[in-house]
Amino acid sequence: MGLFGRGGNVEQDDDERADGWDAITAALDGLYPDVKPRHVGYTPGVHFGSGLQGCSAYEAAGHWHYVTYGLTELWDKESDDPQISGYGFEFTMRVVRAAGDPEPPTWPFNVLEQVAKFVRSQGAVLGDGHRMDTRNSITGDPACGLTVLAFTLDPQLPPLATPNGRVEFLQLVGVTAGELARMKETSTAEVLAELASGNPLLVTDPARG
């Protein structure tokens, strides 16, 4: 994984189309018209074993907004389903940004890559309401009590109709083991709705756990 630019545009040959990639970037440019993202590329790339091709982090109000590239078809259409691009979703994640912090934390880049690798290895199709118990701190810091990832549709990024098919944006939200227990008693949606009452964008705050 390496930082190879501060823009969301893929490096490509002049004759290579990247309609899927460009559609994702355009959606984020619409949400953050004056923001240059911090972009990380994963090596060796999705065609050679990486879970993702890249991930961008956008500086938003009080948080970083991460969005992945690689679970959908970024270049040519490869799957047989014309309605869905790749797995049909890309991941997003919102993480608290400290005032004056010039760069996004690196652990979300790693988390998103690892979950993408799980999707590829298991053929898993994740969706709104799903949960993943990592049983360890999602940040890598044992002091952080966020050990579970809940999945919900990104509240600011509606589904895209791209030349390669539909793309949804599935947001990962860090929650505690106690919140997981409540989700099992009720539902993921109910507990996330409670959290959203004071945190509408469901920004993950490692200090909360």
Side-chain angles (χ1 to χ4, degrees):
M1 184 178 74
L3 194 67
F4 65 74
R6 298 173 72 87
N9 293 325
V10 65
E11 296 179 359
Q12 63 192 70
D13 295 333
D14 291 340
D15 59 350
E16 185 179 22
R17 295 177 62 87
D19 291 334
W21 188 300
D22 292 343
I24 296 168
T25 299
L28 273 296
D29 286 347
L31 187 58
Y32 304 111
D34 299 316
V35 176
K36 293 293 185 183
R38 281 67 163 174
H39 188 80
V40 161
Y42 299 90
T43 54
V46 293
H47 293 113
F48 301 97
S50 297
L52 296 168
Q53 192 71 21
C55 181
S56 289
Y58 289 78
E59 187 175 337
H63 67 278
W64 297 99
H65 192 181
Y66 296 74
V67 60
T68 67
Y69 294 80
L71 289 168
T72 58
E73 292 159 305
L74 302 176
W75 295 280
D76 295 332
K77 181 66 180 174
E78 297 177 354
S79 69
D80 295 330
D81 188 345
Q83 303 301 318
I84 301 296
S85 178
Y87 289 93
F89 55 83
E90 293 286 356
F91 292 138
T92 71
M93 191 173 194
R94 289 178 164 85
V95 176
V96 164
R97 176 174 60 86
D101 189 355
E103 297 297 333
T106 58
W107 65 263
F109 290 115
N110 296 324
V111 167
L112 293 164
E113 162 80 346
Q114 291 306 310
V115 178
K117 284 185 175 180
F118 168 79
V119 169
R120 293 183 181 280
S121 67
Q122 301 299 315
V125 178
L126 299 174
D128 186 14
H130 287 182
R131 305 180 295 260
M132 180 180 292
D133 187 355
T134 70
R135 304 183 188 278
N136 293 290
S137 165
I138 62 173
T139 69
D141 181 354
C144 174
L146 302 180
T147 59
V148 179
L149 294 169
F151 298 82
T152 188
L153 295 177
D154 190 291
Q156 291 185 314
L157 290 172
L160 292 180
T162 78
N164 293 331
R166 178 184 170 91
V167 176
E168 289 186 342
F169 293 97
L170 197 59
Q171 182 169 320
L172 282 65
V173 183
V175 299
T176 66
E179 288 160 345
L180 172 62
R182 288 165 48 208
M183 288 175 177
K184 290 178 178 178
E185 294 174 353
T186 57
S187 68
T188 303
E190 184 170 329
V191 175
L192 289 182
E194 293 173 8
L195 294 175
S197 64
N199 179 13
L201 297 179
L202 291 171
V203 176
T204 293
D205 182 358
R208 187 179 66 81

